[in-house]
């Protein structure tokens, strides 16, 4: 008497049911992913409130790893204007004129990448703020695809002043050093309101790589870059009107 061979998928069916629960687990996974994608946009509106002091994903990482961090929130009114001027001239000269993304700059970066040329970062301050608040470090197309709409939304919902205030209070200026007040105290032993133009320019040019670029102990190259930004900041009047006008 012939015995019909057992179907392979009959063995796998119980395992599939255990893992997916007739689709219920899969639905929960999809729902969790959707919540994670939508949550940042809800938080943007929450950050409209001036008494809310957001933290970055790097700060949360330091907490989880029990490293701790130094961050002392200060309002924009208690930050020396030379800091805003220097950071804008170093990081995002068109900050007051774009809607979160400098599309002309992005187009040039894409063209350079397609042509195999080395490219600069090209991130605007809203893009960096969105990344610091909601995403992770490291270059990838996935992160950039998430970052662009978040930057546009952040710039649309928040005022330029509020967005700049958040950025300056969550930016990293050294291992465990977050925000301009902690940076000013750590590197120059003064509050953010008392930073000089040279000190502000040194902090600004250290932002792209705050671990290797020490604003308090700058090398020759960092001092040279700071000198360029210092000169640009002195003539930045028309570029910062959305902050102080």
């Amino acid at each position: 008497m012939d015995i019909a061979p057992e179907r392979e998928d009959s063995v796998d069916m119980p395992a599939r049911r255990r893992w997916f629960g007739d689709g219920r687990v899969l639905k929960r996974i999809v729902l969790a992913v959707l919540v994670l994608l939508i949550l940042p946009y809800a938080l943007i509106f929450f950050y409209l409130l001036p008494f809310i002091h957001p933290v970055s994903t790097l700060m949360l990482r330091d907490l989880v790893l029990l490293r701790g961090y130094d961050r002392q929130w200060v309002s924009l009114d208690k930050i020396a204007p030379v800091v805003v001027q220097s950071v804008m001239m170093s990081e995002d000269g068109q900050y007051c004129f774009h809607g979160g993304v400098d599309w002309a700059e992005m187009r040039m970066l894409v063209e350079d990448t397609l042509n195999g040329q080395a490219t600069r970062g090209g991130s605007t301050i809203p893009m960096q703020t969105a990344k610091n608040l909601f995403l992770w470090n490291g270059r990838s197309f996935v992160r950039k695809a998430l970052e662009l709409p978040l930057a546009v939304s952040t710039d649309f919902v928040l005022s330029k002043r509020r967005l700049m205030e958040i950025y300056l209070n969550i930016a990293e200026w050294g291992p465990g050093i977050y925000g301009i007040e902690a940076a000013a105290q750590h590197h120059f032993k003064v509050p953010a309101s008392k930073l000089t133009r040279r000190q502000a320019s040194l902090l600004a040019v250290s932002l792209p790589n705050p671990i290797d670029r020490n604003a308090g102990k700058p090398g020759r190259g960092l001092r040279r870059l700071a000198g360029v930004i210092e000169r640009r900041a002195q003539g930045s009047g028309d570029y910062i009107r959305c902050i102080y006008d």
Side-chain angles (χ1 to χ4, degrees):
M1 177 178 175
D2 294 333
I3 300 177
E6 185 177 1
R7 292 175 56 189
E8 291 185 11
D9 58 356
S10 64
V11 177
D12 295 334
M13 285 300 292
R16 291 175 187 170
R17 289 195 183 99
R18 282 198 304 271
W19 281 103
F20 293 103
D22 296 327
R24 285 175 295 185
V25 173
L26 184 59
K27 289 178 182 178
R28 290 172 185 169
I29 294 173
V30 171
L31 181 60
V33 171
L34 288 175
V35 169
L36 288 175
L37 291 174
I38 294 171
L39 181 60
Y41 294 93
L43 287 174
I44 292 172
F45 287 93
F46 187 59
Y47 295 155
L48 278 167
L49 302 173
F51 56 85
I52 298 299
H53 301 164
V55 297
S56 70
T57 52
L58 287 178
M59 296 162 72
L60 292 174
R61 177 205 64 186
D62 286 348
L63 283 178
V64 170
L65 296 177
L66 303 179
R67 295 174 183 170
Y69 61 81
D70 185 8
R71 196 279 291 272
Q72 305 160 51
W73 184 280
V74 287
S75 68
L76 197 64
D77 293 333
K78 294 183 179 180
I79 299 173
V82 292
V83 174
V84 175
Q85 294 170 334
S86 299
V87 168
M88 285 177 63
M89 292 301 98
S90 179
E91 296 287 288
D92 187 1
Q94 299 299 311
Y95 176 72
C96 286
F97 306 106
H98 60 62
V101 178
D102 189 338
W103 294 109
E105 181 75 9
M106 287 295 297
R107 192 178 303 111
M108 292 174 58
L109 290 174
V110 171
E111 290 175 357
D112 289 345
T113 300
L114 293 176
N115 292 330
Q117 300 177 22
T119 60
R120 295 170 286 115
S123 291
T124 62
I125 286 174
M127 290 169 66
Q128 293 179 56
T129 304
K131 180 201 73 175
N132 290 342
L133 286 175
F134 308 120
L135 302 173
W136 62 92
N137 280 342
R139 291 188 177 185
S140 72
F141 288 111
V142 173
R143 198 209 74 189
K144 190 63 69 175
L146 295 171
E147 182 181 297
L148 292 177
L150 280 170
V152 173
S153 301
T154 301
D155 190 89
F156 179 78
V157 173
L158 302 179
S159 69
K160 292 288 188 179
R161 279 184 61 87
R162 176 61 171 165
L163 204 159
M164 178 63 73
E165 181 180 74
I166 291 175
Y167 177 65
L168 291 177
N169 276 286
I170 64 173
E172 184 182 23
W173 264 292
I177 307 299
Y178 297 96
I180 188 61
E181 182 68 19
Q185 297 283 357
H186 176 78
H187 291 294
F188 302 112
K189 312 303 179 188
V190 298
S193 61
K194 300 297 183 182
L195 286 166
T196 66
R197 191 174 294 278
R198 172 45 63 106
Q199 291 168 342
S201 63
L202 284 168
L203 287 168
V205 296
S206 69
L207 274 171
N209 191 352
I211 304 301
D212 295 331
R213 296 182 179 183
N214 189 325
K217 299 177 181 178
R220 182 181 301 175
L222 202 63
R223 291 196 300 269
R224 179 180 57 80
L225 287 174
V228 173
I229 296 305
E230 188 175 356
R231 291 190 293 273
R232 290 180 183 175
Q234 288 177 325
S236 63
D238 290 339
Y239 291 93
I240 63 170
R241 287 184 176 177
C242 63
I243 304 294
Y244 295 111
D245 194 14

